[in-house]
Amino acid sequence: MMRLWKAVVSGFAIGSLLAVSTQAQSDGPPAHTRPKIGLVLNGGGALGLAHIGVLRWLEEHHIPVDMVAGTSMGGLVGGVYATGNSPAQVRQLVEGIDWDQMLSDGTPYRDLSYRRKEDAANYPMALQFGIKKGLVSQGGYKAGQQVQLLLDKIALPYSNVQNFNDLPIPFACVATDLVSGLPHVFHSGSLGMALRATMSLPGVFAPVRTKDAIYADGGLVDNLPVDVAKEMGADVTLAIYLETAPIKPTEQMSAVGVLGRGISVMIAANELRSMQQADVLVSIPLQDFTTLDYSKSNDLIQKGYDAAQSKATILEKLSVDDATWQQYLAQRAKRMRTLPIPQFVEVTGISPHDTEQIKKQLAPTLQKPIDSDELARQLTTFASDQRVSNLDYGLTTNLSGVPGLVVAGQPETFGRNILRPLIVVNGWDYKNVTLSVGARLTTLDLGRYGAEWRNDILLGSEYQLFSEYFRPLSSSRKWFVAPSFFGDNAPLNLYSSDGLIAEYRNRIVGGRGDAGYLFGRSAELRVGYEAGIQRLYPNVGDPTLYPRVDGRVGDTHVRFNFDHIDNPITPMSGFRLQARSEWWDAKPDSGEAFPLAELSMLGFKPLTPRSSVYLGAAGGSTLWQNPGGLPPFSLGGSFRLPAYNTNELLTNQYFVFQGGYVRKLGALSPLVGGKVLFFAGADISKAYYVENASHLPSDGSAGIIINTLLGPIVLGGAIGDAGHYKFYFEIGRAYF
């Protein structure tokens, strides 16, 4: 009843305004005396895509929008529309966005530097911390870099517009100032920063910081900013409300769910106040959708269009004739801006070394039309090195009026000490599950720009310490030296087809000196020497399998790694190659020096956007020598022959061929994880000098990989020859 009464009142008010406008026009004033319409767009994550359908309906019915006020996703859609884009162009933009990539805020794996690829593959947990005076987080577990670069692309032609009233359609958006606790309305300044601020959901995306304020999502204080549109001078406020499903008394909620619902209640309170202030309210029924349903953009947009159509009787009172509509479009187009061709790059807010690197990286893009997607990719790649954060870009001019690009950033929130935690649960033998926890601490730019001091520690079933100092030898950071120290005390469990037969501990302490070359972002070549002291001894089981040994190990090595896979956890395309050649001059229980060589390859080829096949091959050999003692190669208890037990096939020489199929089953919310992948594969191999092994060990396996915030979870089973079968699981390590 209340909504019906409000519709009647709204219709009467609109009719009165239009009557005044008509009378004024008959007396001679120009058409601008028509009532000014202020469009107000609600925040709501993916639900905000429904606003695009409303915009389409308004334009089809010649209803001019004289100003736009929005919050959060309403601010994004409103900002894109205010910069002169048609509803079709707004739709094309949002449908071209990889929302999973955007919200996960990660750099595509292929664009990472080689050492950051090592971090992502070996320490796959999404949570990271800095160490300054204690642990430091970034204010949200997503930095928001991808969102910022999208908003810069939208705002780029208007980078030099300081007052948002000078946009093709005057615009304002709302953020929450966490310092004052009050709403902050952006009418001026950087359009890209304003849009980023209004979308900074607390606890998810890091807030936007300035000298005097910290800005978070505006939905906390004004999610439907009708008051802002009125202050901008709107005669009629047209508010678009995103109606969601109410909570049920019987609904079960987690602690996170309770927190989220609490925020929703707070937002609903300020929305109700705004709904009561609006002259016209269009409610879009979205009870069947969630705030993360970005993949359902077509349905959401249609819902917005249908909701506007349901209000046609009232909304059509705001329509103008063809001549007035064309005049409105012409005035809007006159205020649109085109992109100049930049002649220089200016960088602010970061160190001289980082400034120099960005200028060098962007130099090839100068004196050419701006490619926003390529520019965003380059800046994302640079930000992924974790020396800077919050990179954004825009246009500028020098004192002579020459156009250029300006890139702004801040030193990385974490500082120069980045901590990546790790949890590993190994269930390849589900009767003997092991747990280890650890971390990697990387100190950047120690001694010179580009240098890294990497320290790994692992505690639990395995005790490991590794420390490496990586130092580039030139400004290009291609040639490097890398001395390191390591210590490891790991279980070495020996199995037969009947199960566990002995438990050994393998202790080794030593050091390594490498020199090498980085081939872009995909490959590394190292040459060096490694030496240490090894102690191998049995804890449980037959001590005669491999006698207790204690002595020096040493090898000269050449190692080459190439990584051009799309994702180390849930791969769908790309190729990976690893090769090593070693000359062992010392090894306990080995009579003389011996060589060793190993090569492994794995490639993925997409069949459809959701499925791929993979092929792999690997082989290793001590060539003409049988060094004795513990063999250097092992098959079983891993991606290679998973139906066999760990270390069941210890050998001096082997080969294995693999093939299989992977399919994306779905995905977790990008805020808490990634893809869910099904895999099925088969292996055939040969292990030489192994007693009681089948002629050609082989198996077939299948399972799923779930990429979570805490790293991958692998669940699978395998059936092999000679009576081998196994169910297995693992947490925290890549499967492929």
Side-chain angles (χ1 to χ4, degrees):
M1 187 70 179
M2 181 179 178
R3 288 189 178 179
L4 176 61
W5 173 249
K6 187 165 182 63
V8 172
V9 173
S10 298
F12 177 77
I14 294 169
S16 300
L17 285 167
L18 291 174
V20 171
S21 175
T22 302
Q23 178 63 39
Q25 290 180 32
S26 68
D27 294 339
H32 68 257
T33 55
R34 64 174 176 78
K36 294 181 180 179
I37 300 171
L39 181 64
V40 183
L41 302 181
N42 198 192
L47 305 181
L49 299 178
H51 293 313
I52 301 172
V54 176
L55 294 175
R56 176 186 153 205
W57 193 95
L58 295 178
E59 293 221 342
E60 287 180 356
H61 292 78
H62 292 186
I63 298 175
V65 173
D66 298 289
M67 59 206 68
V68 181
T71 297
S72 196
M73 182 58 79
L76 172 61
V77 173
V80 177
Y81 186 58
T83 54
N85 291 281
S86 68
Q89 290 171 318
V90 178
R91 180 172 189 162
Q92 182 180 18
L93 174 69
V94 300
E95 289 183 344
I97 297 170
D98 183 343
W99 288 103
D100 286 348
Q101 184 70 40
M102 187 70 57
L103 295 176
S104 67
D105 201 45
T107 303
Y109 184 73
R110 283 180 176 147
D111 291 333
L112 293 174
S113 65
Y114 183 80
R115 290 182 69 81
R116 298 293 79 80
K117 284 182 178 179
E118 290 182 318
D119 292 338
N122 297 326
Y123 288 77
M125 188 181 293
L127 297 176
Q128 297 181 23
F129 303 92
I131 296 183
K132 293 182 179 179
K133 295 179 180 179
L135 288 180
V136 177
S137 69
Q138 57 191 1
Y141 65 87
K142 308 294 181 183
Q145 180 66 76
Q146 295 296 311
V147 173
Q148 181 64 66
L149 293 173
L150 168 66
L151 302 178
D152 289 339
K153 174 182 178 180
I154 294 167
L156 185 59
Y158 304 93
S159 300
N160 294 323
V161 172
Q162 289 300 304
N163 192 320
F164 298 168
N165 287 333
D166 296 331
L167 296 173
I169 302 174
F171 172 72
C173 61
V174 181
T176 303
D177 183 353
L178 298 180
V179 174
S180 67
L182 299 173
H184 179 88
V185 182
F186 285 93
H187 291 286
S188 60
S190 165
L191 178 59
M193 188 194 81
L195 294 176
R196 169 72 175 81
T198 193
M199 295 181 64
S200 297
L201 188 64
V204 176
F205 291 112
V208 174
R209 295 175 178 268
T210 66
K211 181 180 179 182
D212 301 313
I214 303 174
Y215 297 118
D217 194 295
L220 298 174
V221 289
D222 198 356
N223 204 40
L224 187 65
V226 174
D227 55 333
V228 174
K230 289 182 179 292
E231 291 169 2
M232 294 171 72
D235 297 314
V236 176
T237 51
L238 171 54
I240 313 302
Y241 173 64
L242 308 172
E243 188 175 354
T244 57
I247 188 173
K248 298 178 181 179
T250 57
E251 185 174 332
Q252 298 295 320
M253 291 189 295
S254 64
V256 175
V258 172
L259 177 61
R261 179 54 63 176
I263 294 175
S264 297
V265 169
M266 183 169 57
I267 292 174
N270 71 64
E271 286 176 335
L272 179 61
R273 181 177 63 250
S274 296
M275 290 162 65
Q276 293 169 342
Q277 296 174 354
D279 295 312
V280 181
L281 181 69
V282 176
S283 292
I284 307 176
L286 299 173
Q287 291 86 347
D288 297 331
F289 300 87
T290 73
T291 56
L292 293 174
D293 279 339
Y294 290 96
S295 62
K296 300 179 180 178
S297 59
N298 288 336
D299 294 334
L300 288 165
I301 292 170
Q302 187 61 45
K303 282 285 188 180
Y305 186 90
D306 294 342
Q309 179 61 39
S310 71
K311 286 277 190 165
T313 302
I314 295 176
L315 293 178
E316 285 176 347
K317 295 180 183 296
L318 300 174
S319 297
V320 298
D321 57 47
D322 288 346
T324 304
W325 177 252
Q326 293 303 320
Q327 182 183 14
Y328 165 78
L329 292 180
Q331 290 173 345
R332 193 169 75 182
K334 188 176 180 180
R335 294 157 69 96
M336 293 181 66
R337 301 193 178 190
T338 57
L339 290 175
I341 295 178
Q343 304 298 311
F344 66 92
V345 177
E346 177 184 317
V347 182
T348 64
I350 56 179
S351 73
H353 285 299
D354 292 321
T355 295
E356 180 185 349
Q357 291 295 320
I358 289 180
K359 286 185 175 181
K360 184 184 299 184
Q361 189 166 323
L362 297 185
T365 67
L366 298 178
Q367 301 179 11
K368 300 176 184 177
I370 297 174
D371 183 339
S372 295
D373 293 333
E374 175 61 19
L375 184 57
R377 190 193 68 78
Q378 290 177 302
L379 293 179
T380 297
T381 298
F382 191 85
S384 73
D385 288 345
Q386 296 191 290
R387 288 179 170 82
V388 299
S389 65
N390 297 324
L391 284 177
D392 64 86
Y393 67 91
L395 298 173
T396 189
T397 56
N398 61 18
L399 295 177
S400 302
V402 177
L405 281 172
V406 59
V407 176
Q410 300 174 5
E412 171 59 53
T413 307
F414 295 146
R416 294 308 197 201
N417 301 295
I418 302 170
L419 185 70
R420 297 174 175 85
L422 178 69
I423 300 174
V424 179
V425 179
N426 188 330
W428 285 95
D429 178 3
Y430 64 85
K431 296 179 181 178
N432 187 27
V433 177
T434 63
L435 168 67
S436 297
V437 296
R440 168 170 289 178
L441 176 63
T442 304
T443 301
L444 302 176
D445 301 335
L446 183 67
R448 69 165 295 167
Y449 183 77
E452 297 181 12
W453 184 23
R454 173 185 286 175
N455 292 280
D456 296 347
I457 187 169
L458 195 65
L459 303 172
S461 299
E462 179 178 1
Y463 298 91
Q464 183 185 80
L465 178 65
F466 175 79
S467 182
E468 178 190 72
Y469 181 59
F470 174 92
R471 183 179 178 90
L473 298 178
S474 65
S475 60
S476 68
R477 294 188 288 169
K478 300 294 185 183
W479 294 99
F480 65 88
V481 293
S484 61
F485 164 83
F486 56 86
D488 191 35
N489 186 339
L492 181 66
N493 296 335
L494 304 180
Y495 290 82
S496 70
S497 58
D498 297 324
L500 184 67
I501 56 176
E503 295 180 9
Y504 280 68
R505 297 295 297 189
N506 186 23
R507 294 182 180 179
I508 185 168
V509 177
R512 185 173 70 214
D514 286 337
Y517 185 83
L518 288 170
F519 298 86
R521 293 180 171 268
S522 297
E524 178 191 78
L525 175 68
R526 289 187 176 220
V527 179
Y529 185 79
E530 179 177 312
I533 301 297
Q534 181 185 23
R535 186 185 180 200
L536 178 69
Y537 58 94
N539 277 340
V540 179
D542 187 355
T544 63
L545 289 173
Y546 295 102
R548 179 188 299 266
V549 297
D550 194 345
R552 191 178 81 87
V553 294
D555 71 86
T556 302
H557 54 257
V558 178
R559 295 169 183 167
F560 177 76
N561 292 326
F562 176 82
D563 188 346
H564 196 62
I565 214 161
D566 67 329
N567 189 299
I569 308 303
T570 52
M572 298 291 289
S573 66
F575 179 75
R576 183 174 66 210
L577 181 147
Q578 297 173 316
R580 61 175 176 144
S581 177
E582 300 171 352
W583 178 260
W584 287 73
D585 60 80
K587 182 174 182 283
D589 206 33
S590 176
E592 57 187 67
F594 65 94
L596 180 149
E598 186 176 27
L599 174 68
S600 65
M601 300 173 287
L602 182 64
F604 291 80
K605 176 67 175 178
L607 299 176
T608 70
R610 298 179 65 89
S611 63
S612 300
V613 294
Y614 69 84
L615 292 174
S621 175
T622 55
L623 303 178
W624 63 86
Q625 289 284 75
N626 182 1
L630 183 69
F633 305 115
S634 174
L635 297 176
S638 69
F639 174 53
R640 298 176 183 173
L641 289 180
Y644 280 68
N645 287 312
T646 304
N647 298 323
E648 185 176 339
L649 301 178
L650 286 169
T651 177
N652 292 323
Q653 188 167 260
Y654 79 96
F655 67 78
V656 60
F657 296 99
Q658 300 172 287
Y661 172 82
V662 295
R663 183 174 182 82
K664 179 182 175 182
L665 298 179
L668 302 179
S669 160
L671 299 180
V672 298
K675 295 176 185 174
V676 178
L677 206 67
F678 167 79
F679 65 87
D683 312 276
I684 185 168
S685 66
K686 178 65 176 178
Y688 295 87
Y689 311 124
V690 179
E691 296 181 3
N692 301 321
S694 59
H695 180 61
L696 287 174
S698 58
D699 67 6
S701 59
I704 60 171
I705 301 170
I706 307 170
N707 193 1
T708 74
L709 186 66
L710 299 180
I713 298 175
V714 180
L715 303 169
I719 299 176
D721 65 325
H724 287 84
Y725 65 90
K726 184 187 294 184
F727 297 98
Y728 54 86
F729 70 93
E730 188 171 38
I731 300 173
R733 292 291 194 193
Y735 177 69
F736 292 103

